[in-house]
PDB file of all heavy atoms in Angstrom:
ATOM      1  N   PRO A   2       0.844  -1.194   0.000  1.00 94.00           N
ATOM      2  CA  PRO A   2       0.000   0.000   0.000  1.00 94.00           C
ATOM      3  C   PRO A   2       0.876   1.240   0.000  1.00 94.00           C
ATOM      4  O   PRO A   2       1.649   1.461   0.936  1.00 94.00           O
ATOM      5  CB  PRO A   2      -0.797  -0.128   1.306  1.00 94.00           C
ATOM      6  CG  PRO A   2       0.054  -0.976   2.190  1.00 94.00           C
ATOM      7  CD  PRO A   2       0.844  -1.889   1.300  1.00 94.00           C
ATOM      8  N   MET A   3       0.780   2.044  -1.055  1.00 93.00           N
ATOM      9  CA  MET A   3       1.607   3.246  -1.167  1.00 93.00           C
ATOM     10  C   MET A   3       0.708   4.439  -1.455  1.00 93.00           C
ATOM     11  O   MET A   3      -0.064   4.426  -2.417  1.00 93.00           O
ATOM     12  CB  MET A   3       2.647   3.081  -2.280  1.00 93.00           C
ATOM     13  CG  MET A   3       3.685   2.025  -2.006  1.00 93.00           C
ATOM     14  SD  MET A   3       4.857   1.816  -3.387  1.00 93.00           S
ATOM     15  CE  MET A   3       3.832   0.857  -4.534  1.00 93.00           C
ATOM     16  N   GLU A   4       0.815   5.457  -0.629  1.00 89.00           N
ATOM     17  CA  GLU A   4      -0.003   6.649  -0.786  1.00 89.00           C
ATOM     18  C   GLU A   4       0.231   7.306  -2.137  1.00 89.00           C
ATOM     19  O   GLU A   4       1.381   7.488  -2.566  1.00 89.00           O
ATOM     20  CB  GLU A   4       0.310   7.642   0.345  1.00 89.00           C
ATOM     21  CG  GLU A   4      -0.440   8.945   0.279  1.00 89.00           C
ATOM     22  CD  GLU A   4      -1.931   8.799   0.561  1.00 89.00           C
ATOM     23  OE1 GLU A   4      -2.415   7.673   0.752  1.00 89.00           O
ATOM     24  OE2 GLU A   4      -2.609   9.839   0.603  1.00 89.00           O
ATOM     25  N   ASP A   5      -0.852   7.648  -2.819  1.00 86.00           N
ATOM     26  CA  ASP A   5      -0.821   8.278  -4.141  1.00 86.00           C
ATOM     27  C   ASP A   5      -0.165   7.401  -5.203  1.00 86.00           C
ATOM     28  O   ASP A   5       0.215   7.893  -6.267  1.00 86.00           O
ATOM     29  CB  ASP A   5      -0.112   9.642  -4.094  1.00 86.00           C
ATOM     30  CG  ASP A   5      -0.856  10.656  -3.245  1.00 86.00           C
ATOM     31  OD1 ASP A   5      -2.100  10.577  -3.200  1.00 86.00           O
ATOM     32  OD2 ASP A   5      -0.203  11.515  -2.622  1.00 86.00           O
ATOM     33  N   VAL A   6      -0.017   6.128  -4.933  1.00 91.00           N
ATOM     34  CA  VAL A   6       0.526   5.187  -5.917  1.00 91.00           C
ATOM     35  C   VAL A   6      -0.402   3.997  -6.103  1.00 91.00           C
ATOM     36  O   VAL A   6      -0.812   3.682  -7.216  1.00 91.00           O
ATOM     37  CB  VAL A   6       1.938   4.694  -5.512  1.00 91.00           C
ATOM     38  CG1 VAL A   6       2.434   3.626  -6.505  1.00 91.00           C
ATOM     39  CG2 VAL A   6       2.919   5.854  -5.466  1.00 91.00           C
ATOM     40  N   SER A   7      -0.748   3.315  -5.004  1.00 93.00           N
ATOM     41  CA  SER A   7      -1.496   2.057  -5.092  1.00 93.00           C
ATOM     42  C   SER A   7      -2.997   2.293  -5.282  1.00 93.00           C
ATOM     43  O   SER A   7      -3.831   1.783  -4.538  1.00 93.00           O
ATOM     44  CB  SER A   7      -1.255   1.218  -3.836  1.00 93.00           C
ATOM     45  OG  SER A   7       0.114   0.959  -3.651  1.00 93.00           O
ATOM     46  N   ASP A   8      -3.321   3.068  -6.297  1.00 94.00           N
ATOM     47  CA  ASP A   8      -4.716   3.360  -6.613  1.00 94.00           C
ATOM     48  C   ASP A   8      -5.232   2.349  -7.638  1.00 94.00           C
ATOM     49  O   ASP A   8      -4.462   1.524  -8.154  1.00 94.00           O
ATOM     50  CB  ASP A   8      -4.846   4.796  -7.117  1.00 94.00           C
ATOM     51  CG  ASP A   8      -3.955   5.101  -8.317  1.00 94.00           C
ATOM     52  OD1 ASP A   8      -3.447   4.146  -8.959  1.00 94.00           O
ATOM     53  OD2 ASP A   8      -3.754   6.288  -8.622  1.00 94.00           O
ATOM     54  N   PRO A   9      -6.524   2.355  -7.947  1.00 95.00           N
ATOM     55  CA  PRO A   9      -7.047   1.379  -8.902  1.00 95.00           C
ATOM     56  C   PRO A   9      -6.341   1.352 -10.253  1.00 95.00           C
ATOM     57  O   PRO A   9      -6.115   0.253 -10.793  1.00 95.00           O
ATOM     58  CB  PRO A   9      -8.520   1.782  -9.035  1.00 95.00           C
ATOM     59  CG  PRO A   9      -8.852   2.355  -7.693  1.00 95.00           C
ATOM     60  CD  PRO A   9      -7.614   3.125  -7.294  1.00 95.00           C
ATOM     61  N   PRO A  10      -5.964   2.488 -10.852  1.00 95.00           N
ATOM     62  CA  PRO A  10      -5.248   2.404 -12.126  1.00 95.00           C
ATOM     63  C   PRO A  10      -3.929   1.641 -12.030  1.00 95.00           C
ATOM     64  O   PRO A  10      -3.613   0.820 -12.899  1.00 95.00           O
ATOM     65  CB  PRO A  10      -5.019   3.879 -12.497  1.00 95.00           C
ATOM     66  CG  PRO A  10      -6.129   4.610 -11.811  1.00 95.00           C
ATOM     67  CD  PRO A  10      -6.310   3.889 -10.512  1.00 95.00           C
ATOM     68  N   PHE A  11      -3.165   1.916 -10.979  1.00 95.00           N
ATOM     69  CA  PHE A  11      -1.887   1.225 -10.825  1.00 95.00           C
ATOM     70  C   PHE A  11      -2.096  -0.232 -10.456  1.00 95.00           C
ATOM     71  O   PHE A  11      -1.409  -1.134 -10.958  1.00 95.00           O
ATOM     72  CB  PHE A  11      -1.035   1.928  -9.765  1.00 95.00           C
ATOM     73  CG  PHE A  11       0.338   1.325  -9.600  1.00 95.00           C
ATOM     74  CD1 PHE A  11       1.209   1.248 -10.664  1.00 95.00           C
ATOM     75  CD2 PHE A  11       0.738   0.830  -8.367  1.00 95.00           C
ATOM     76  CE1 PHE A  11       2.480   0.688 -10.511  1.00 95.00           C
ATOM     77  CE2 PHE A  11       1.997   0.275  -8.204  1.00 95.00           C
ATOM     78  CZ  PHE A  11       2.873   0.200  -9.283  1.00 95.00           C
ATOM     79  N   ARG A  12      -3.058  -0.484  -9.592  1.00 96.00           N
ATOM     80  CA  ARG A  12      -3.339  -1.870  -9.214  1.00 96.00           C
ATOM     81  C   ARG A  12      -3.757  -2.703 -10.426  1.00 96.00           C
ATOM     82  O   ARG A  12      -3.435  -3.892 -10.515  1.00 96.00           O
ATOM     83  CB  ARG A  12      -4.426  -1.924  -8.127  1.00 96.00           C
ATOM     84  CG  ARG A  12      -4.021  -1.246  -6.826  1.00 96.00           C
ATOM     85  CD  ARG A  12      -4.878  -1.684  -5.659  1.00 96.00           C
ATOM     86  NE  ARG A  12      -6.299  -1.461  -5.840  1.00 96.00           N
ATOM     87  CZ  ARG A  12      -6.987  -0.413  -5.380  1.00 96.00           C
ATOM     88  NH1 ARG A  12      -6.344   0.553  -4.734  1.00 96.00           N
ATOM     89  NH2 ARG A  12      -8.289  -0.326  -5.558  1.00 96.00           N
ATOM     90  N   ALA A  13      -4.457  -2.081 -11.360  1.00 95.00           N
ATOM     91  CA  ALA A  13      -4.904  -2.809 -12.547  1.00 95.00           C
ATOM     92  C   ALA A  13      -3.720  -3.359 -13.341  1.00 95.00           C
ATOM     93  O   ALA A  13      -3.714  -4.529 -13.734  1.00 95.00           O
ATOM     94  CB  ALA A  13      -5.749  -1.892 -13.444  1.00 95.00           C
ATOM     95  N   VAL A  14      -2.698  -2.546 -13.555  1.00 96.00           N
ATOM     96  CA  VAL A  14      -1.563  -3.018 -14.357  1.00 96.00           C
ATOM     97  C   VAL A  14      -0.681  -3.972 -13.555  1.00 96.00           C
ATOM     98  O   VAL A  14      -0.049  -4.860 -14.129  1.00 96.00           O
ATOM     99  CB  VAL A  14      -0.745  -1.838 -14.937  1.00 96.00           C
ATOM    100  CG1 VAL A  14      -1.597  -1.031 -15.908  1.00 96.00           C
ATOM    101  CG2 VAL A  14      -0.179  -0.931 -13.857  1.00 96.00           C
ATOM    102  N   CYS A  15      -0.660  -3.818 -12.232  1.00 97.00           N
ATOM    103  CA  CYS A  15       0.103  -4.767 -11.402  1.00 97.00           C
ATOM    104  C   CYS A  15      -0.576  -6.128 -11.388  1.00 97.00           C
ATOM    105  O   CYS A  15       0.099  -7.167 -11.449  1.00 97.00           O
ATOM    106  CB  CYS A  15       0.262  -4.231  -9.988  1.00 97.00           C
ATOM    107  SG  CYS A  15       1.415  -2.847  -9.852  1.00 97.00           S
ATOM    108  N   LYS A  16      -1.889  -6.134 -11.303  1.00 97.00           N
ATOM    109  CA  LYS A  16      -2.614  -7.404 -11.306  1.00 97.00           C
ATOM    110  C   LYS A  16      -2.406  -8.143 -12.620  1.00 97.00           C
ATOM    111  O   LYS A  16      -2.183  -9.366 -12.641  1.00 97.00           O
ATOM    112  CB  LYS A  16      -4.112  -7.157 -11.079  1.00 97.00           C
ATOM    113  CG  LYS A  16      -4.928  -8.440 -10.883  1.00 97.00           C
ATOM    114  CD  LYS A  16      -4.546  -9.133  -9.576  1.00 97.00           C
ATOM    115  CE  LYS A  16      -5.424 -10.334  -9.306  1.00 97.00           C
ATOM    116  NZ  LYS A  16      -5.100 -10.969  -8.010  1.00 97.00           N
ATOM    117  N   GLU A  17      -2.456  -7.430 -13.723  1.00 96.00           N
ATOM    118  CA  GLU A  17      -2.239  -8.035 -15.036  1.00 96.00           C
ATOM    119  C   GLU A  17      -0.836  -8.618 -15.165  1.00 96.00           C
ATOM    120  O   GLU A  17      -0.605  -9.511 -15.979  1.00 96.00           O
ATOM    121  CB  GLU A  17      -2.455  -7.005 -16.141  1.00 96.00           C
ATOM    122  CG  GLU A  17      -3.915  -6.648 -16.368  1.00 96.00           C
ATOM    123  CD  GLU A  17      -4.092  -5.696 -17.532  1.00 96.00           C
ATOM    124  OE1 GLU A  17      -3.071  -5.264 -18.120  1.00 96.00           O
ATOM    125  OE2 GLU A  17      -5.243  -5.376 -17.863  1.00 96.00           O
ATOM    126  N   ASN A  18       0.077  -8.111 -14.352  1.00 96.00           N
ATOM    127  CA  ASN A  18       1.467  -8.534 -14.458  1.00 96.00           C
ATOM    128  C   ASN A  18       1.933  -9.361 -13.263  1.00 96.00           C
ATOM    129  O   ASN A  18       3.130  -9.434 -12.993  1.00 96.00           O
ATOM    130  CB  ASN A  18       2.369  -7.315 -14.668  1.00 96.00           C
ATOM    131  CG  ASN A  18       2.248  -6.755 -16.073  1.00 96.00           C
ATOM    132  OD1 ASN A  18       2.861  -7.262 -17.003  1.00 96.00           O
ATOM    133  ND2 ASN A  18       1.427  -5.725 -16.239  1.00 96.00           N
ATOM    134  N   GLY A  19       0.976 -10.014 -12.570  1.00 97.00           N
ATOM    135  CA  GLY A  19       1.380 -11.051 -11.636  1.00 97.00           C
ATOM    136  C   GLY A  19       1.235 -10.811 -10.157  1.00 97.00           C
ATOM    137  O   GLY A  19       1.570 -11.702  -9.360  1.00 97.00           O
ATOM    138  N   ALA A  20       0.758  -9.642  -9.718  1.00 98.00           N
ATOM    139  CA  ALA A  20       0.580  -9.426  -8.281  1.00 98.00           C
ATOM    140  C   ALA A  20      -0.501 -10.372  -7.755  1.00 98.00           C
ATOM    141  O   ALA A  20      -1.573 -10.493  -8.341  1.00 98.00           O
ATOM    142  CB  ALA A  20       0.202  -7.979  -7.994  1.00 98.00           C
ATOM    143  N   ASP A  21      -0.227 -11.046  -6.633  1.00 98.00           N
ATOM    144  CA  ASP A  21      -1.166 -12.023  -6.080  1.00 98.00           C
ATOM    145  C   ASP A  21      -2.143 -11.413  -5.095  1.00 98.00           C
ATOM    146  O   ASP A  21      -3.294 -11.849  -4.999  1.00 98.00           O
ATOM    147  CB  ASP A  21      -0.385 -13.145  -5.384  1.00 98.00           C
ATOM    148  CG  ASP A  21       0.458 -13.946  -6.355  1.00 98.00           C
ATOM    149  OD1 ASP A  21      -0.111 -14.478  -7.321  1.00 98.00           O
ATOM    150  OD2 ASP A  21       1.685 -14.029  -6.148  1.00 98.00           O
ATOM    151  N   LEU A  22      -1.692 -10.446  -4.330  1.00 98.00           N
ATOM    152  CA  LEU A  22      -2.539  -9.775  -3.350  1.00 98.00           C
ATOM    153  C   LEU A  22      -2.142  -8.314  -3.319  1.00 98.00           C
ATOM    154  O   LEU A  22      -0.949  -7.990  -3.269  1.00 98.00           O
ATOM    155  CB  LEU A  22      -2.362 -10.395  -1.957  1.00 98.00           C
ATOM    156  CG  LEU A  22      -3.070  -9.698  -0.790  1.00 98.00           C
ATOM    157  CD1 LEU A  22      -4.586  -9.722  -0.972  1.00 98.00           C
ATOM    158  CD2 LEU A  22      -2.687 -10.344   0.545  1.00 98.00           C
ATOM    159  N   MET A  23      -3.141  -7.449  -3.362  1.00 97.00           N
ATOM    160  CA  MET A  23      -2.860  -6.017  -3.381  1.00 97.00           C
ATOM    161  C   MET A  23      -3.644  -5.322  -2.274  1.00 97.00           C
ATOM    162  O   MET A  23      -4.675  -5.814  -1.812  1.00 97.00           O
ATOM    163  CB  MET A  23      -3.240  -5.424  -4.739  1.00 97.00           C
ATOM    164  CG  MET A  23      -2.550  -6.110  -5.909  1.00 97.00           C
ATOM    165  SD  MET A  23      -2.869  -5.312  -7.501  1.00 97.00           S
ATOM    166  CE  MET A  23      -4.631  -5.598  -7.693  1.00 97.00           C
ATOM    167  N   TYR A  24      -3.119  -4.186  -1.867  1.00 97.00           N
ATOM    168  CA  TYR A  24      -3.778  -3.363  -0.860  1.00 97.00           C
ATOM    169  C   TYR A  24      -4.034  -1.974  -1.427  1.00 97.00           C
ATOM    170  O   TYR A  24      -3.294  -1.486  -2.276  1.00 97.00           O
ATOM    171  CB  TYR A  24      -2.906  -3.252   0.394  1.00 97.00           C
ATOM    172  CG  TYR A  24      -2.802  -4.532   1.182  1.00 97.00           C
ATOM    173  CD1 TYR A  24      -1.752  -5.419   0.975  1.00 97.00           C
ATOM    174  CD2 TYR A  24      -3.761  -4.863   2.137  1.00 97.00           C
ATOM    175  CE1 TYR A  24      -1.656  -6.604   1.700  1.00 97.00           C
ATOM    176  CE2 TYR A  24      -3.665  -6.037   2.875  1.00 97.00           C
ATOM    177  CZ  TYR A  24      -2.614  -6.906   2.651  1.00 97.00           C
ATOM    178  OH  TYR A  24      -2.522  -8.069   3.372  1.00 97.00           O
ATOM    179  N   THR A  25      -5.086  -1.344  -0.919  1.00 96.00           N
ATOM    180  CA  THR A  25      -5.361   0.033  -1.296  1.00 96.00           C
ATOM    181  C   THR A  25      -4.299   0.957  -0.720  1.00 96.00           C
ATOM    182  O   THR A  25      -3.487   0.563   0.120  1.00 96.00           O
ATOM    183  CB  THR A  25      -6.722   0.477  -0.746  1.00 96.00           C
ATOM    184  OG1 THR A  25      -6.684   0.460   0.688  1.00 96.00           O
ATOM    185  CG2 THR A  25      -7.851  -0.435  -1.240  1.00 96.00           C
ATOM    186  N   GLU A  26      -4.335   2.207  -1.147  1.00 94.00           N
ATOM    187  CA  GLU A  26      -3.601   3.240  -0.429  1.00 94.00           C
ATOM    188  C   GLU A  26      -4.128   3.273   1.013  1.00 94.00           C
ATOM    189  O   GLU A  26      -5.260   2.864   1.284  1.00 94.00           O
ATOM    190  CB  GLU A  26      -3.864   4.605  -1.055  1.00 94.00           C
ATOM    191  CG  GLU A  26      -3.540   4.715  -2.523  1.00 94.00           C
ATOM    192  CD  GLU A  26      -4.094   6.005  -3.114  1.00 94.00           C
ATOM    193  OE1 GLU A  26      -3.491   7.065  -2.876  1.00 94.00           O
ATOM    194  OE2 GLU A  26      -5.130   5.946  -3.788  1.00 94.00           O
TER     195      GLU A  26
END
């Protein structure tokens, strides 16, 4: 979870590229 980074747009491209579990900002 990173402030002003881990938002839905960024999470979308991370998920497509292999992230298994993500957290919101």
